[in-house]
Amino acid sequence: METKAENACFGGVQGVYSHAAATTNCDMTFGLYLPPQAKDGDVPVLWYLSGLTCTHENAMTKAGAQAWAAEAGIALVFPDTSPRGDEVADDDAFDLGQGAGFYVNATQSPWDPHFRMWDYVTDELPKLLFGEFPLDPDRQAITGHSMGGHGALTMAMRLPGRYRSVSAFSPICNPTKSDWGIKQLTAYLGDDHGQWAAHDASLLMAEHGFDGPVLVDTGTEDQFIELLKPETLAQAIAARRQQATFRMQPGYDHSYFFVASFMADHVAFHAEALLG
């Protein structure tokens, strides 16, 4: 692992690190914020998964999460959104290829040699982090924005017991029925709709639910709301009687201005679950 940068931040340290990842068969970069409480022992972890076109940097520099994480004593992990490099397959469209891993393990050419973001985020990166930093593997939570909200919700529901809480900002809720999903799931997973269903938050909510609290925020003026399909997740939550807070925030769009506006709420929500 190589240290790219470490900066003092709200009494803690905002670091950026890279390493050779076996799952994605390329170098990967991630951000990690350690709050001041990490000097005294292991701290809980909140994973933040970013959206289309983003890297580890977007939320790290725009979401304002470090101030609230420092106050609560929670570490923040900012993985990248896809494998990257000259040898990694890509596409001219912004919503496929590098920057658009969709948090799945690709089974189709030319994506399958590198695009294994599910295994990277749920297996390889956690093993690295918990082996190198003062983090508590028994106290994890997960959140994300847009494509990352999709990833956070699906990981939380498919890995029961891993995360104590899950939240999402404007998540892609029903990718098997959306142009933000059908295109990517076909490219990465082929025509096996059984594999598709394993990455659809609305279908997973209806079938499995989540064994903890859920918080979802979406803006009423989100320019991509027809692609996000928040109503499908809301319906699944209601039908299952899932413990959840689902909010449509009036006037807000899809940008990081929206994310930053409600980040304090989300960190406090996870702090309650992680710290009790």
Side-chain angles (χ1 to χ4, degrees):
M1 188 177 65
E2 178 183 353
T3 300
K4 296 288 191 179
E6 288 184 333
N7 298 94
C9 183
F10 293 102
V13 177
Q14 176 61 65
V16 177
Y17 309 92
S18 67
H19 68 113
T23 49
T24 60
N25 195 28
C26 66
D27 289 345
M28 297 292 292
T29 300
F30 64 91
L32 171 66
Y33 175 70
L34 289 175
Q37 294 86 342
K39 299 171 187 174
D40 301 319
D42 292 352
V43 293
V45 183
L46 175 58
W47 294 80
Y48 183 100
L49 305 186
S50 290
L52 289 166
T53 76
C54 293
T55 70
H56 68 282
E57 287 188 299
N58 293 72
M60 191 179 80
T61 59
K62 296 178 181 179
Q66 292 91 339
W68 311 110
E71 183 177 319
I74 295 172
L76 302 168
V77 182
F78 305 100
D80 202 347
T81 55
S82 79
R84 297 180 191 273
D86 294 339
E87 303 302 316
V88 177
D90 201 5
D91 190 272
D92 291 337
F94 76 95
D95 57 356
L96 187 67
Q98 295 187 36
F102 257 75
Y103 304 102
V104 304
N105 287 337
T107 61
Q108 305 298 304
S109 179
W111 313 106
D112 51 329
H114 300 282
F115 280 74
R116 302 189 61 81
M117 289 301 294
W118 179 276
D119 283 353
Y120 177 71
V121 172
T122 66
D123 185 37
E124 184 171 10
L125 185 55
K127 287 178 180 176
L128 175 66
L129 291 173
F130 293 123
E132 296 288 338
F133 297 98
L135 306 173
D136 185 351
D138 294 324
R139 292 184 293 168
Q140 297 184 65
I142 192 166
T143 187
H145 173 232
S146 192
M147 180 184 71
H150 138 82
L153 290 165
T154 57
M155 289 176 183
M157 285 186 277
R158 286 181 55 194
L159 298 170
R162 169 78 65 94
Y163 308 104
R164 295 193 182 185
S165 51
V166 60
S167 73
F169 300 88
S170 50
I172 300 171
C173 297
N174 192 200
T176 62
K177 301 294 183 182
S178 168
D179 286 343
W180 270 3
I182 294 173
K183 172 184 178 179
Q184 293 83 2
L185 296 175
T186 301
Y188 296 143
L189 302 178
D191 295 326
D192 183 351
H193 287 216
Q195 290 192 57
W196 290 21
H199 296 282
D200 188 305
S202 295
L203 298 180
L204 289 170
M205 180 60 70
E207 184 174 354
H208 301 291
F210 176 64
D211 55 348
V214 178
L215 171 63
V216 178
D217 278 314
T218 302
T220 61
E221 300 303 313
D222 193 305
Q223 58 270 47
F224 304 111
I225 199 163
E226 296 301 324
L227 295 167
L228 303 176
K229 298 187 178 295
E231 67 280 359
T232 62
L233 182 60
Q235 291 162 4
I237 286 171
R240 189 169 187 83
R241 299 175 182 171
Q242 167 75 42
Q243 176 189 358
T245 300
F246 184 94
R247 307 188 298 194
M248 296 300 301
Q249 299 291 2
Y252 285 89
D253 60 14
H254 200 73
S255 69
Y256 264 93
F257 296 110
F258 158 68
V259 174
S261 296
F262 297 99
M263 181 56 73
D265 287 0
H266 283 244
V267 174
F269 164 79
H270 292 294
E272 183 175 355
L274 291 168
L275 302 170

